[in-house]
Amino acid sequence: MLLQSQHPVVACRFRYVSESVNSYTHHCGCADCENRSLRSPQIPSALKKEGGYEHREALFGISPYGGSIQQQVYYADSTLCDARVDATGGFPQRADNTPWKAPFILMIDRGVCSFVSKVRNAQMVGASGVLIADNICQCSAKDCQNEPTHNDCDGNEPAANDDDETGNDAAGNDDCQNRTPSNQCEATEPIMADDGSGGDVSIPAFLLFKQDADPIKAALKLNQIVRVEMSFPLPAPDSRVEYDLWTTPVDSVSRPFQSSFKEGAEALGKDAFFTPHMYIFDGIRAGCQGFNGENECVNLCTNNGRYCATDPNGDLDSGASGADVVKESLRRLCIWQSYGKDGVGREWWDYTKEFVFRCDNPDKAFFNNEECAVDAMGHAGVDANTVDRCMSDSGGLEQDSTNTLLEAELSNRQASGVGLIPSLFVNQAPVRGQLSFANTFKAICAGYAPGYEPSVCQKCMTCQDEEGCVTKGRCEGAAGIQSRGVSASTFVSAMGILTLVFGSLGFIQFRRQQRAMRDQVRGIIAEYMPVDENQKQMDNSVGIKE
C-alpha cells in the first residue's frame, strides 16, 4: 500500500472465492467474508477500521492478477448512467474545474442503470478502476444507516423484477427499487453480474457496502485526497486443480464442451477434480410458492414451487417444461454423486453425451421421456436404480418438501455469484472467453503450482491442437508431423541414412580428385620428356599406373 502522510489512504484487498483465466474476473462470496477486506487506511484515523473494508468484485472486466492498482480516487457524485460524463465535476474539487487527471480510480453511486454501463462509462473517461458505492444497507449490517429521503434508490429507477437474486434484474440492471427507506434493507447481497454486454469492459470494479463507502465519500466531499490500492492476488495453486461447470440440461452453448472434454478429464486424472453444478431458480424467492403453499408457477417448478427452471421450448402448454428441466438437473446431480467421487466422473460425461444424442432433439419431444433417460443411462454404464434411489433419498420432487441436493445448488449459486450460463471456474476463478476444450485445458494447466504440472500439461499445453494432443497422446502440427519428441529408433535410422549418403558422396568426390590429379601429372611429364617406346617405364618410375 502506498502511504502518503498528508493524505488518507484506502486499499482494496480480497481473497478469491470465484474468479475468470484468459481475462479473469472474480466475486467474493459470503463464504469468504471472514477472509476478504479492504485494508484499513492509516490516515486520517477517522477512516481507520479494524479488520478492513468488505467489498464485492464485478463478474466482468479484466483484473491485473498478481498485481495492484494504486491511484487517486475521484467521486463522480452521480450514477454515471449517461455516457456523456462530465469529468470536470465531482470531488475533490479542482481549480478551474480541470478534468479528472488519468490514471485514477472513480467512485460511482449505485442505481438506475446496469453495473456494466457504469463501469464502461468510467472506462471511457480514463478510469483505471471503479468503486461503486452502495446506497442501501444490508440487513446484516449493524452499523449502517439508510438515507431517510431515499425511497426508491435514486428516485427515478424503473420498475424491475429482481428475478436473479443478485440485486440485478433480468437484464443485469442495478435493481434496488423500494428498498431504501430508513426502515428497510437488502436481505441478499447485490452481485455485479455481467448484463451480457460487458465484453468490452477492460477495467476492474468493486462494490463497497454503504457503511464503508459513506465515510470515503464524506472525506472526498471535504476535498481531501484519497488514494486507493486495489490488489489482485492470484489464487494459491498447489498440486491439484479444481474446476467447476455451471450449466443446465438445456444449455446449448456448453454441449460441445460436455461432449468432448471427457478425454481431458481422464488425462488429467487425479491431478484435477471436476464438479458439475446445475443452475436452477429459487422458486420461493421468485414468488412461485403462494401463501397457501401451492405452486403459483404451475409446470415451471417442482416441490410446490420451491425449485424452478425456464421452459426449454417456450411453450407452457406442450412439450418439456421447466419442472422437467429441474428433474433432469437432479438426475445429473445424482449421477455425479454416485460416479464422480474420483473427480473425473467418466459415466457422467458419457451420460450427458448420450442424453443429448438420444433425448434432446430440437423440439424436446423426448426430453421428458423417462424411457429415453433410462436408455441413455444404460449406454453410459449408469445404474438407473441407483440414480432413482438418490433422487428419492435427497427429498424427491413431489409435495412441499426440500431436496438436499437442489438446496445445496441454490446455496452454491448464491455464494459463487453465478449469473450467466454456462460458467466455468478453475480454482474458484471464473474463466472468461469461449467454453472450449482448448481454453478449459489451458486454464486448468495454468492453475498448477510451478513444478506440479502433470505430464499431459507439459506435453500438450503449448500444442496447436490441444484436444488432438490429449486424445492421441502426442502433439502434432497442422500437417500431421510430430513436432515434439523423436524416438531413439527413428533418430538412429535417420543418422544411419545421413552417414551413408554423405559417405557415398565423399567417396565419389575422392575418386574424382584422384583421377584429376593423375591426368595433371601426366600432362606435366609429357611436356618435358619425349614420348617413346619406353613411355610405360617412365610412367612407372614416377609412380603412375596405367
Side-chain angles (χ1 to χ4, degrees), residues 61-310:
I62 301 175
S63 302
Y65 292 97
S68 64
I69 299 175
Q70 299 181 6
Q71 299 297 341
Q72 180 179 341
V73 179
Y74 291 106
Y75 172 46
D77 197 20
S78 76
T79 58
L80 220 72
C81 289
D82 191 341
R84 298 166 296 181
V85 179
D86 180 13
T88 63
F91 299 94
Q93 296 175 339
R94 283 87 60 206
D96 300 326
N97 291 326
T98 56
W100 302 320
K101 186 177 180 180
F104 59 88
I105 294 173
L106 191 62
M107 177 172 275
I108 305 169
D109 287 327
R110 180 187 173 191
V112 180
C113 61
S114 71
F115 292 114
V116 172
S117 297
K118 298 173 186 290
V119 179
R120 179 186 293 113
N121 291 337
Q123 177 179 296
M124 294 297 291
V125 293
S128 300
V130 171
L131 300 177
I132 294 183
D134 201 352
N135 52 9
I136 316 162
C137 291
Q138 298 296 305
C139 294
S140 58
K142 298 179 181 179
D143 56 347
C144 183
Q145 293 292 326
N146 282 315
E147 298 293 334
T149 57
H150 279 193
N151 53 15
D152 66 335
C153 296
D154 292 87
N156 59 354
E157 181 171 62
N161 294 323
D162 187 13
D163 59 358
D164 69 352
E165 311 163 41
T166 64
N168 300 329
D169 64 13
N173 289 324
D174 177 5
D175 176 20
C176 56
Q177 186 178 9
N178 298 326
R179 297 186 188 145
T180 57
S182 57
N183 62 344
Q184 293 189 15
C185 59
E186 276 191 313
T188 59
E189 295 181 356
I191 294 176
M192 296 174 66
D194 191 338
D195 63 3
S197 68
D200 60 337
V201 176
S202 59
I203 61 175
F206 289 163
L207 175 81
L208 298 185
F209 292 123
K210 189 175 188 300
Q211 65 271 20
D212 293 328
D214 285 353
I216 299 175
K217 288 197 295 186
L220 290 168
K221 285 184 175 181
L222 292 175
N223 294 323
Q224 291 182 324
I225 301 298
V226 176
R227 194 171 184 87
V228 166
E229 178 186 4
M230 303 173 72
S231 180
F232 305 85
L234 289 169
D238 52 25
S239 60
R240 191 182 81 166
V241 168
E242 298 176 0
Y243 60 112
D244 302 68
L245 174 66
W246 281 90
T247 183
T248 72
V250 293
D251 173 24
S252 60
V253 176
S254 66
R255 284 177 190 167
F257 171 80
Q258 294 184 60
S259 298
S260 64
F261 201 75
K262 171 191 168 185
E263 288 75 12
E266 290 181 327
L268 292 164
K270 62 181 179 58
D271 295 313
F273 195 95
F274 172 64
T275 304
H277 294 281
M278 295 293 113
Y279 189 97
I280 58 174
F281 292 100
D282 188 333
I284 294 179
R285 290 182 181 273
C288 286
Q289 189 177 79
F291 293 107
N292 56 359
E294 294 184 358
N295 185 358
E296 300 289 344
C297 294
V298 199
N299 63 353
L300 294 180
C301 306
T302 65
N303 303 74
N304 281 31
R306 285 182 176 272
Y307 313 111
C308 309
T310 56

Side-chain angles (χ1 to χ4, degrees), residues 481-495:
I481 300 175
Q482 187 170 336
S483 59
R484 285 183 175 271
V486 178
S487 65
S489 59
T490 302
F491 178 77
V492 171
S493 299
M495 291 302 295

